[in-house]
Amino acid sequence: AKIAQQIGAAVQYLANQGVIHRDIKPANVLVTGGNYKLCDFGFALKLNRSDETIEGKFLIGSPIYMPP
């Protein structure tokens, strides 16, 4: 639960900044002193208003962790 809470807070912060991570998986979570941090923003996307409504435009990520 602690991991989910900290990663969820990071994802919420990113969303508030208009950033979509697009590759959240266990390998992209670092543990430092009991804290969990989201890393590897290689697939990250900074949204603008027009990007949010284009369906299917941003298909990217690690296939094993992507939804069907």
Side-chain angles (χ1 to χ4, degrees):
K2 182 178 178 181
I3 297 169
Q5 181 182 23
Q6 288 185 17
I7 298 303
V11 170
Q12 181 64 55
Y13 177 80
L14 291 170
N16 291 342
Q17 304 305 309
V19 175
I20 306 295
H21 188 281
R22 302 195 300 179
D23 197 25
I24 297 172
K25 60 185 178 185
N28 290 340
V29 175
L30 298 177
V31 180
T32 58
N35 292 312
Y36 302 89
K37 301 183 182 207
L38 191 56
C39 66
D40 191 356
F41 289 80
F43 290 142
L45 174 70
K46 175 74 171 157
L47 292 178
N48 61 42
R49 285 289 212 199
S50 63
D51 292 336
E52 294 180 45
T53 59
I54 299 173
E55 189 173 324
K57 181 178 177 184
F58 304 112
L59 182 61
I60 194 166
S62 296
I64 194 169
Y65 294 101
M66 292 173 66

